[in-house]
Amino acid sequence: MVYKADPVDESHANVTRESSNGSPFGPELLEDDRGGPVQKSLTLSPLPSSLFENEPLQGIPKAKIAYFFNPSVASFDLGDDHAMKPARVAIADALIEGYALYRKMGVFASLWHSDWGYCLFHRMLKLAFNGNVTPELATSAWGPYLDQFGLDAGNDEEKSDCPVFNGVYKWCQHFSGVSVEAGRMLTEGNADIAINYAGGIHHARRSSASGFCYINDIVLATLELLRMFPRVLYVDIDVHHGDGVQVLTEHDCYESTYFNGKFFPTTGSKRETGLRQGEGFSVNIPLDDHIRDGPYFETFCEVMDLVMTHCQPSAIVVQTGADSIAGDKLGTFNLSIRGHGRCIEYLKTRNLPMLVLGGGGYTIANVARAWTYECGLLNDAILTD
Ligand SMILES: [Zn+2]
């Protein structure tokens, strides 16, 4: 196993982990003798720049589950007061590794993507960011143009959901490029399930950021899946409605979302069923505050059974936002981690190629525990709380 990180930014450690046991998936020994988690050890070394071009991955062993993670994701910071903490993905990864789930999966590098050719949806955002946008530029030269892109300068006087922060462009390259690569794992038949918990950013529109979301990796990955799979079903269990995905895909794929109808972005009425040839593709289920596991899963199953019958999907994309779990800083649902995970179990039983993405989640302990638990379920491992 080779596990590599950012070659571009000197502030991010270049990390290479080499397998010690020769397994094609290359897991390190992740448990001590008592089965408990062990401390990670990383070997730092420079990486050839060619690894980070937008080249197809070569020589990857066929894996049932392909798991993507880049440690440098933890270095991005939207601001002390901002609810979105990219580091939560690193904490989830530490638990996933600590519970020895690496042994069950192919663990792959997340690559930076310098080629935005696939990213036609977001060409305006590319112009906005220009690869070099900084809070200082946002305040000065870009200031007059930020509003139209749903951005702000990220200073104390003018806070918003989507501040321009140092590294914003690379962060977007990171999680969106990885989601596309994870999707490619499925389209090329190299995995049955691909996981990128850094992705699942579902509010971003074609030309503007929204709700902590600057680029819509879900749409990009879905487009990759549609190259191979004729019917892709998008399922969203975040507490917020996945409006960006609905707008950008309602002609092309089926989607079913379960969310709090009173919350931002206040879209997703049951009347929004798709446009033109996509009429009937969207199934939105607004739910009330404080919903618990029983009614939530009963509704989920009832609707999903119908959606599955109607859609007959050939692949699934699931956004596993953990802000629908009780105790989230922003969410108001009362789901337990197990209750949230039952939706993942349901989808897994369909035995379809599945792309599993992260999403919202603002109580970091909940996020890390939920995604670890669900990663275990995907690997047929039941982890205790
Ligand atoms: Zn959310």
Side-chain angles (χ1 to χ4, degrees):
M1 178 266 283
V2 184
Y3 193 26
K4 301 180 174 72
D6 177 25
V8 179
D9 190 333
E10 295 296 328
S11 66
H12 301 149
N14 290 325
V15 178
T16 299
R17 303 184 198 182
E18 298 292 349
S19 170
S20 57
N21 62 4
S23 159
F25 297 165
E28 301 157 31
L29 188 60
L30 299 170
E31 288 181 327
D32 63 16
D33 291 340
R34 296 156 297 172
V38 297
Q39 190 73 30
K40 292 180 185 178
S41 62
L42 303 179
T43 303
L44 303 182
S45 65
L47 298 171
S49 59
S50 61
L51 282 171
F52 301 92
E53 299 300 322
N54 197 25
E55 298 170 348
L57 299 173
Q58 300 291 330
I60 293 174
K62 183 175 176 65
K64 183 180 180 186
I65 297 183
Y67 170 81
F68 288 80
F69 174 69
N70 186 325
S72 65
V73 70
S75 67
F76 296 106
D77 184 2
L78 281 72
D80 290 345
D81 296 330
H82 201 286
M84 172 60 86
K85 302 294 182 190
R88 69 207 172 118
V89 182
I91 296 169
D93 174 75
L95 278 181
I96 287 168
E97 184 181 17
Y99 275 100
L101 294 175
Y102 274 20
R103 302 170 91 175
K104 297 174 175 286
M105 304 184 286
V107 180
F108 298 105
S110 2
L111 308 184
W112 297 103
H113 280 251
S114 56
D115 180 0
W116 288 71
Y118 63 82
C119 191
L120 295 177
F121 269 126
H122 292 286
R123 55 190 179 276
M124 292 304 291
L125 278 181
K126 178 178 187 280
L127 292 174
F129 291 158
N130 199 28
N132 297 308
V133 69
T134 63
E136 292 72 27
L137 280 173
T139 302
S140 55
W142 285 95
Y145 308 104
L146 293 181
D147 268 357
Q148 67 182 287
F149 297 119
L151 302 169
D152 79 277
N155 54 47
D156 288 340
E157 290 75 38
E158 194 181 357
K159 289 178 182 172
S160 82
D161 285 354
C162 302
V164 172
F165 62 93
N166 283 316
V168 58
Y169 188 76
K170 286 177 181 171
W171 185 52
C172 292
Q173 283 182 301
H174 174 278
F175 66 74
S176 60
V178 173
S179 290
V180 173
E181 287 293 350
R184 193 169 298 164
M185 275 282 187
L186 304 178
T187 57
E188 295 183 351
N190 289 317
D192 303 316
I193 296 172
I195 302 171
N196 175 28
Y197 285 128
I201 308 305
H202 62 170
H203 295 306
R205 303 299 183 92
R206 181 192 295 257
S207 298
S208 71
S210 176
F212 312 167
C213 303
Y214 299 78
I215 183 169
N216 201 313
D217 65 297
I218 303 169
V219 171
L220 300 178
T222 299
L223 290 174
E224 168 62 23
L225 294 182
L226 285 168
R227 289 196 312 111
M228 179 61 63
F229 303 110
R231 288 175 176 237
V232 176
L233 170 64
Y234 172 67
V235 181
D236 188 323
I237 57 172
D238 194 283
V239 77
H240 301 95
H241 177 237
D243 57 329
V245 181
Q246 177 175 287
V247 166
L248 295 177
T249 64
E250 59 190 339
H251 300 168
D252 301 314
C253 78
Y254 291 82
E255 56 121 12
S256 188
T257 63
Y258 306 81
F259 57 95
N260 189 324
K262 300 171 191 164
F263 265 34
F264 172 90
T266 65
T267 52
S269 97
K270 289 182 177 178
R271 294 189 299 277
E272 296 173 20
T273 55
L275 295 177
R276 294 181 287 276
Q277 71 270 31
E279 173 63 35
F281 282 22
S282 295
V283 179
N284 292 309
I285 308 296
L287 300 165
D288 292 330
D289 289 341
H290 315 307
I291 189 167
R292 292 180 175 272
D293 292 352
Y296 184 96
F297 192 61
E298 188 178 327
T299 302
F300 182 87
C301 288
E302 184 180 339
V303 174
M304 286 305 303
D305 286 349
L306 293 172
V307 168
M308 288 288 183
T309 301
H310 178 65
C311 171
Q312 295 290 311
S314 41
I316 295 172
V317 178
V318 56
Q319 196 265 22
T320 64
D323 49 8
S324 47
I325 292 172
D328 186 80
K329 285 182 179 174
L330 301 185
T332 56
F333 283 176
N334 255 334
L335 301 186
S336 69
I337 288 172
R338 292 187 184 200
H340 195 265
R342 289 179 76 185
C343 301
I344 306 305
E345 284 182 291
Y346 174 99
L347 296 173
K348 183 171 183 284
T349 61
R350 298 299 165 145
N351 291 319
L352 291 167
M354 184 159 69
L355 176 60
V356 180
L357 302 172
Y362 307 101
T363 297
I364 290 178
N366 277 357
V367 176
R369 291 172 63 215
W371 290 346
T372 302
Y373 177 71
E374 289 167 10
C375 187
L377 293 176
L378 293 169
N379 283 287
D380 299 318
I382 304 297
L383 306 180
T384 60
D385 286 347

